[in-house]
Amino acid sequence: MPRDAWDSVHSGLSLGGRRPGGAYDFRGHARGQKKAALKQVSREQRQEIKEAFDIFDSERTGRMDYHELKVAVRAMGFEIKKQEALELMSRYDREETGYINFEAFEEIMVQRYEAQDPMDEIRKAFQLFDEDKRGKISFRNLKRIARDLGEKLTDDELRGMIDEFDQDQDGEINEEEFISIMKQTSLY
């Protein structure tokens, strides 16, 4: 039960920080390789990509311009500089209209997701839990995260989560213990 609770609490967590990685050109790849790459991105990530495109396709034209691309990529938690956004527009705007379509946006975002380092993501998640910046997740931190995510966990369930994974028996979860928890889940 507690491991499932950690999965639930962590999977509802949206990492708002910026993620490393960059976009690569798919144009030289065979179509089968592109489809294989798309399969490596989770269903939830593909849904996020689609939702982001729909939100930032402000005119509902099925395309986005340079400014919309830049804002959408940043809104999804990835870093993008002006020059990179201009290069991506040049690379993916094959008809030179000043716009890219959903397929191009999806290719860009898939590459960014694939370039992520899972350990960096785990560390970012830990930092979000560790709101006191003490290097430990306290009962109070865990309770706040669960509440913010709408999880209905009792104090006993939250304490049980900590007790199960608190290897040094200090009543809190340090970064090493958190990494161990995340490695045991299907999330990473």
Side-chain angles (χ1 to χ4, degrees):
M1 169 77 175
R3 181 169 289 128
D4 293 340
W6 275 106
D7 291 351
S8 177
V9 169
H10 183 262
S11 68
L13 185 63
S14 175
L15 298 177
R18 294 180 181 209
R19 300 176 182 161
Y24 300 101
D25 190 0
F26 262 121
R27 291 189 302 179
H29 293 179
R31 196 150 271 320
Q33 288 175 321
K34 183 171 97 176
K35 288 185 188 226
L38 290 178
K39 290 178 183 173
Q40 293 176 6
V41 174
S42 74
R43 187 175 335 143
E44 292 81 13
Q45 289 169 325
R46 276 187 253 137
Q47 184 62 35
E48 282 181 25
I49 292 169
K50 176 67 173 135
E51 289 172 4
F53 183 84
D54 290 345
I55 289 168
F56 292 100
D57 172 20
S58 57
E59 298 170 4
R60 303 289 180 247
T61 59
R63 59 190 193 166
M64 62 173 47
D65 65 18
Y66 154 79
H67 298 287
E68 292 164 332
L69 170 66
K70 195 168 70 168
V71 173
V73 170
R74 287 180 178 161
M76 292 188 68
F78 292 96
E79 186 174 330
I80 186 169
K81 296 189 187 302
K82 179 180 180 179
Q83 186 59 39
E84 182 185 7
L86 290 170
E87 289 169 8
L88 288 170
M89 288 301 296
S90 174
R91 184 180 306 147
Y92 288 97
D93 178 15
R94 293 173 180 114
E95 288 91 38
E96 298 182 8
T97 61
Y99 295 93
I100 60 169
N101 62 18
F102 172 71
E103 183 180 74
F105 180 70
E106 184 178 41
E107 289 177 10
I108 291 165
M109 297 313 302
V110 163
Q111 285 299 307
R112 288 179 182 261
Y113 275 120
E114 289 178 342
Q116 289 177 306
D117 178 356
M119 287 305 294
D120 286 344
E121 297 303 306
I122 291 172
R123 286 185 183 95
K124 287 177 187 177
F126 178 80
Q127 291 170 359
L128 291 174
F129 277 83
D130 178 22
E131 68 181 358
D132 305 327
K133 307 297 180 225
R134 297 180 316 108
K136 297 189 180 247
I137 300 170
S138 67
F139 171 78
R140 188 178 64 76
N141 296 147
L142 189 57
K143 187 170 184 172
R144 180 196 55 84
I145 291 286
R147 183 188 67 239
D148 289 352
L149 295 173
E151 295 295 326
K152 307 254 187 270
L153 298 169
T154 67
D155 286 357
D156 287 341
E157 288 172 317
L158 293 170
R159 282 190 182 91
M161 290 167 59
I162 290 173
D163 291 345
E164 181 174 350
F165 296 102
D166 181 18
Q167 296 168 355
D168 61 8
Q169 301 297 306
D170 66 352
E172 298 178 309
I173 300 296
N174 63 36
E175 186 173 356
E176 183 179 318
E177 293 163 339
F178 185 78
I179 289 170
S180 176
I181 294 165
M182 292 299 106
K183 284 183 174 181
Q184 292 177 37
T185 70
S186 61
L187 299 173
Y188 290 96

